[in-house]
Amino acid sequence: MNSSVESFLDYLAAERGVSRHTLAAYSNDLRSFVAFLQEPADRGSGLPARIEEWPQVEAPDLNRFLADMDERGYSPATRSRKIAALRSFMRFLKDEREIKDNPAANLRSPRAGRPLPKAMTVEDVDRLLESASKGRTPEEMRDNAMLELLYASGLRVSELVSLDIRDVDLDNAAVRSFGKGSKERIVPMHESAVLSVEQYIVMARPKLAIAGANDALFLNRKGGRITRQGFWLRLRRCATLAGITTPITPHTLRHSFATHLLHGGASLRHVQELLGHASIATTQIYTHLTSEHVRLEYEKAHPRAV
């Protein structure tokens, strides 16, 4: 059964251009489902015997898996993702004629509440970046460059750590990123971010690089590409040094980038392009964060609002 899962993942990577993070999540979801199906049932339990082949899977088996997720306390968002993985996988099996009927055809995802993204204040961002700019060790200069670039460009943290040196064009103040589905976009950088990245490349990166070629832009102390987890830990350190007590994550800076642009008058379409959202509906979630700003601007501008 796992061989069919491998074929499905290969299909997603080769033909659908799915990101490696989505592939990892789908792999985990589907393998856990296989393990669930192959658990031997206790005699007299009334449960079906272990399932060894995909044509044996029926709708009640999927319902048992959903019930098991409920018992384990999975969040609605996690259950939705796992159900999406199952539905896509079962469609694939039917298209490949490994199964005759699709047992997931009527499977519905739970409605998961969509939390509003949290954004930092401009003052807190300034404190964070000012504090980070004072570091003089190679790691601290790297951290400063990463923070400046992340807030200047709105990149996802996975996109940030995936950057190679050739992806930054300091002369034209731009960075090239490959987002979800390997979609390429060019994002501008402001002067402060350009300067921080340039100083890191010239003064700090050579001290982090170890013998052997590595095209990664941001390196860890061992000379390898810094990871998402590594950046998250460094962000926490920088926030603590800046005296910021509100918990922040790498995605907080992306949210702040979008929110502050909208506050500054940028159009939703332009922010969508900069964030790399496939649908403007995804970007529209930020309008909830700017409603108060819009009302203040309305009251200042409308002749009858005085």
Side-chain angles (χ1 to χ4, degrees):
M1 297 179 80
N2 278 319
S3 62
S4 297
V5 172
E6 286 292 338
S7 297
F8 175 63
L9 296 175
D10 289 341
Y11 158 76
L12 291 180
E15 299 190 31
R16 298 281 297 276
V18 172
S19 73
R20 65 177 183 274
H21 303 300
T22 300
L23 287 175
Y26 271 34
S27 175
N28 178 68
D29 295 339
L30 294 174
R31 293 185 195 285
S32 67
F33 181 56
V34 171
F36 175 80
L37 293 175
Q38 294 183 342
E39 287 179 358
D42 295 331
R43 289 187 177 182
S45 66
L47 296 176
R50 58 188 297 168
I51 293 174
E52 300 285 357
E53 298 179 353
W54 289 114
Q56 296 176 281
V57 178
E58 298 178 348
D61 300 309
L62 298 176
N63 292 331
R64 285 194 300 113
F65 185 61
L66 298 187
D68 183 70
M69 284 195 287
D70 287 337
E71 292 177 3
R72 293 175 183 268
Y74 285 115
S75 69
T78 300
R79 283 184 284 140
S80 293
R81 191 199 67 222
K82 289 179 179 292
I83 290 172
L86 286 173
R87 291 174 64 186
S88 296
F89 178 58
M90 290 298 173
R91 281 198 302 269
F92 171 79
L93 291 182
K94 190 172 188 300
D95 291 342
E96 294 295 309
R97 298 184 178 180
E98 288 195 40
I99 59 175
K100 183 179 179 181
D101 299 311
N102 181 358
N106 297 318
L107 205 59
R108 294 291 178 264
S109 298
R111 294 185 62 86
R114 196 176 193 184
L116 291 177
K118 292 181 174 62
M120 299 172 67
T121 64
V122 174
E123 292 75 19
D124 275 351
V125 172
D126 287 342
R127 287 169 56 197
L128 178 68
L129 297 181
E130 183 179 355
S131 175
S133 68
K134 296 177 180 178
R136 289 296 176 263
T137 69
E139 289 89 353
E140 289 171 336
M141 294 181 71
R142 176 206 59 206
D143 295 346
N144 180 46
M146 289 192 297
L147 291 175
E148 284 278 8
L149 180 54
L150 195 63
Y151 179 61
S153 62
L155 295 181
R156 300 175 179 91
V157 63
S158 57
E159 296 168 348
L160 179 78
V161 300
S162 297
L163 291 175
D164 290 335
I165 293 181
R166 62 177 177 270
D167 293 326
V168 291
D169 184 350
L170 299 179
D171 292 333
N172 293 304
V175 57
R176 179 182 62 170
S177 173
F178 294 90
K180 292 184 177 181
S182 299
K183 294 179 181 178
E184 179 182 350
R185 71 184 188 280
I186 305 296
V187 183
M189 295 187 287
H190 55 65
E191 184 177 353
S192 178
V194 171
L195 180 61
S196 296
V197 173
E198 184 176 31
Q199 288 178 338
Y200 159 71
I201 291 176
V202 173
M203 301 173 60
R205 189 181 181 282
K207 298 178 182 178
L208 294 173
I210 298 177
N214 191 333
D215 295 330
L217 174 60
F218 295 116
L219 303 176
N220 58 31
R221 66 176 58 189
K222 295 182 179 180
R225 185 184 298 275
I226 194 167
T227 64
R228 291 184 301 160
Q229 294 81 1
F231 173 71
W232 186 79
L233 291 173
R234 298 299 293 185
L235 173 60
R236 287 179 58 186
R237 175 183 181 276
C238 291
T240 299
L241 291 175
I244 297 173
T245 57
T246 304
I248 61 174
T249 69
H251 224 58
T252 306
L253 285 174
R254 177 170 161 87
H255 294 326
S256 303
F257 165 84
T259 303
H260 297 168
L261 279 179
L262 290 170
H263 277 179
S267 73
L268 203 61
R269 285 290 182 188
H270 287 157
V271 174
Q272 175 194 2
E273 183 177 348
L274 292 171
L275 291 175
H277 287 161
S279 170
I280 199 169
T282 308
T283 317
Q284 283 175 329
I285 190 171
Y286 293 100
T287 60
H288 296 287
L289 299 176
T290 61
S291 57
E292 182 61 26
H293 170 77
V294 171
R295 172 160 291 281
L296 292 174
E297 292 298 309
Y298 172 86
E299 292 177 350
K300 286 193 301 183
H302 199 288
R304 302 284 289 182
V306 180

